[in-house]
């Protein structure tokens, strides 16, 4: 299947949906989960709610005929869901066991890991300009997010699992779409029910291990219920746009340009929650944005080079090819005899 690309407006819309929904869900979850908000500290279970609503939207879409269901082997869907859930659990454990600084470093390291896995699994090579742009983005986001860095053996192991599983999950989104000629939303509607069921079953136990609190002991208020619904609604758009962006572009592009969300979160945190925004943060954000711009230019230049490559052959280069074709004897389609 070719990459999902219809028009430049659609591409901008996909990225816009992802950035707006991702930043919105972070802000909603901050209010829902923080001690100054509603103190709903059950992150893994909340993710189960997210995928439940996403699965419901997919079911309604298929039943109404808006989308079609294509065959993808069950074992591939189960494998993908296990990797995705390991990614979610690993990230939560990494945040609990490591410092925020090391957690941010582990998230940044996903970009080079995705690049290496793309090279190993799909033989994909990257130009020098793309590599430089990726390095600039990593350094820029690192400057504005990484503070204290403390790590321990268990935390390091969880971070490694999270990085590997998240990278594999994002690469698999694109490869499954191509392999089975299935659209982004159709693939999401198949994986969401499996992820929802497994996270709803295991989520409360994982959250109890992380927080020491039981979900059944939480006193649900109308405000908390509203923010859970808001978070789930934004998660539908976030999940759809993630599959859409990776299907149209690549896991590497999703990681690099996705750090625009980090810049937006830092800015909105300063505007809405009185978070501190230092000169170091501003410099890092500016450097990251420059890196994203350079990356976009480098990828576009790489595409144009591949497109124009065949036209660079001169008439003299093509002459041996033409002579070789002329010398090949034609076969009679009826009798299989060569015509001279």
């Amino acid at each position: 299947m070719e990459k999902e690309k219809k028009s430049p407006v659609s591409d901008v819309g996909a990225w816009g949906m992802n950035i707006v929904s991702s930043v919105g869900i972070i802000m909603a979850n901050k209010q829902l989960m923080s001690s100054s908000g509603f103190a709903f500290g059950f992150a893994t279970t909340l993710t189960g709610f997210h995928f439940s609503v996403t699965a419901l939207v997919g079911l309604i879409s298929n039943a109404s005929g808006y989308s079609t269901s294509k065959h993808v082997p069950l074992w591939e869907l189960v494998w993908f869901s296990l990797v995705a859930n390991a990614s979610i659990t690993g990230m939560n454990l990494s945040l609990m066991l490591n410092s925020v600084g090391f957690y941010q470093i582990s998230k940044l390291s996903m970009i080079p890991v995705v690049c290496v896995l793309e090279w190993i699994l799909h033989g994909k090579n990257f130009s020098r300009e793309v590599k430089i742009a990726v390095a600039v983005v990593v350094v820029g986001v690192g400057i504005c997010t990484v503070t204290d860095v403390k790590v321990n053996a268990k935390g390091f192991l969880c971070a490694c699992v999270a990085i590997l599983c998240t990278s594999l999950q994002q690469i698999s989104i694109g490869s499954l779409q191509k392999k089975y000629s299935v659209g982004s939303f159709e693939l999401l509607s198949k994986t969401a029910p499996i992820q929802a069921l497994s996270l709803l079953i295991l989520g409360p136990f994982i959250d109890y291990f992380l927080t020491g609190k039981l979900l059944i002991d939480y006193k649900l208020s109308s405000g908390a219920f509203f923010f859970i619904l808001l978070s789930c609604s934004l998660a539908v758009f976030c999940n759809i746009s993630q599959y859409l962006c990776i299907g149209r572009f690549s896991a590497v592009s999703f990681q690099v340009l996705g750090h625009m969300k980090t810049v937006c979160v830092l800015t909105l945190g300063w505007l809405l929650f009185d978070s501190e925004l230092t000169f170091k943060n501003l410099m890092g954000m500016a450097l990251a944005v420059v890196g994203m711009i350079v990356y976009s230019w480098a990828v576009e230049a790489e595409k144009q080079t591949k497109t124009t490559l065949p036209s660079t052959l001169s008439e003299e280069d093509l002459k041996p090819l033409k002579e070789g074709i002329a010398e090949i004897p034609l076969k009679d389609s009826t009798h299989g005899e060569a015509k001279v």
Side-chain angles (χ1 to χ4, degrees):
M1 184 185 77
E2 293 181 359
K3 286 184 182 180
E4 289 187 61
K5 189 173 180 180
K6 301 197 184 214
S7 72
V9 176
S10 298
D11 294 343
V12 172
W15 281 114
M17 186 198 301
N18 185 256
I19 291 172
V20 171
S21 59
S22 297
V23 173
I25 201 172
I26 289 170
M27 295 294 131
N29 288 352
K30 186 177 178 70
Q31 181 63 26
L32 176 64
M33 303 180 74
S34 66
S35 55
S36 58
F38 296 99
F40 185 85
F42 308 97
T44 313
T45 306
L46 181 63
T47 308
F49 295 159
H50 290 169
F51 280 107
S52 298
V53 176
T54 303
L56 180 62
V57 170
L59 184 65
I60 294 171
S61 179
N62 287 334
S64 62
Y66 179 76
S67 60
T68 56
S69 180
K70 293 186 179 180
H71 175 70
V72 179
L74 181 61
W75 73 267
E76 294 242 41
L77 297 175
V78 171
W79 176 85
F80 174 86
S81 299
L82 287 174
V83 171
N85 289 349
S87 162
I88 295 166
T89 305
M91 278 295 181
N92 289 339
L93 287 170
S94 175
L95 183 58
M96 181 189 79
L97 297 172
N98 297 315
S99 65
V100 175
F102 184 79
Y103 175 75
Q104 290 293 346
I105 288 176
S106 66
K107 286 180 70 176
L108 286 173
S109 66
M110 284 179 201
I111 300 179
V113 169
V114 168
C115 290
V116 171
L117 287 176
E118 286 269 36
W119 173 66
I120 293 172
L121 297 175
H122 301 137
K124 187 173 182 179
N125 293 312
F126 301 92
S127 66
R128 186 186 57 166
E129 291 79 8
V130 168
K131 291 174 184 175
I132 292 172
V134 166
V136 171
V137 172
V138 170
V139 171
V141 176
I143 288 172
C144 63
T145 59
V146 177
T147 51
D148 62 312
V149 179
K150 295 177 184 175
V151 64
N152 56 71
K154 288 182 182 178
F156 180 78
L157 180 62
C158 290
C160 289
V161 170
I163 293 164
L164 181 62
C165 290
T166 303
S167 302
L168 280 174
Q169 182 237 0
Q170 292 183 357
I171 292 172
S172 297
I173 289 173
S175 61
L176 284 174
Q177 288 184 51
K178 291 181 185 127
K179 186 176 180 181
Y180 297 105
S181 299
V182 61
S184 54
F185 185 71
E186 286 77 15
L187 179 61
L188 177 60
S189 64
K190 287 182 172 296
T191 58
I194 302 173
Q195 286 189 256
L197 182 63
S198 55
L199 287 171
L200 288 176
I201 293 172
L202 299 174
F205 298 101
I206 296 170
D207 289 330
Y208 177 74
F209 174 74
L210 292 172
T211 64
K213 297 176 183 177
L214 291 170
L215 180 64
I216 56 175
D217 293 335
Y218 181 77
K219 293 181 181 178
L220 186 67
S221 63
S222 57
F225 182 70
F226 168 78
F227 273 95
I228 289 173
L229 284 180
L230 178 61
S231 180
C232 290
S233 301
L234 289 168
V236 174
F237 292 100
C238 187
N239 288 329
I240 292 173
S241 59
Q242 180 189 12
Y243 279 57
L244 199 60
C245 288
I246 293 176
R248 290 185 180 186
F249 304 100
S250 69
V252 178
S253 294
F254 183 76
Q255 277 289 333
V256 174
L257 300 180
H259 277 294
M260 179 58 74
K261 293 176 280 191
T262 305
V263 175
C264 293
V265 167
L266 288 171
T267 305
L268 287 175
W270 172 63
L271 291 172
L272 301 177
F273 297 101
D274 294 325
S275 299
E276 186 181 6
L277 199 61
T278 63
F279 178 74
K280 174 173 164 279
N281 295 140
L282 292 171
M283 287 297 294
M285 288 160 63
L287 187 61
V289 170
V290 169
M292 291 174 206
I293 294 171
V294 173
Y295 177 84
S296 301
W297 167 81
V299 169
E300 195 59 35
E302 204 172 43
K303 282 183 189 173
Q304 300 216 352
T305 302
K306 288 178 181 177
T307 305
T308 57
L309 189 59
S311 62
T312 59
L313 292 173
S314 65
E315 189 64 29
E316 193 174 330
D317 295 327
L318 290 170
K319 190 176 179 182
L321 294 175
K322 290 179 179 178
E323 289 176 352
I325 292 172
E327 290 174 3
I328 297 174
L330 298 174
K331 283 194 174 181
D332 189 315
S333 58
T334 308
H335 303 290
E337 295 175 353
K339 289 185 177 180
V340 182

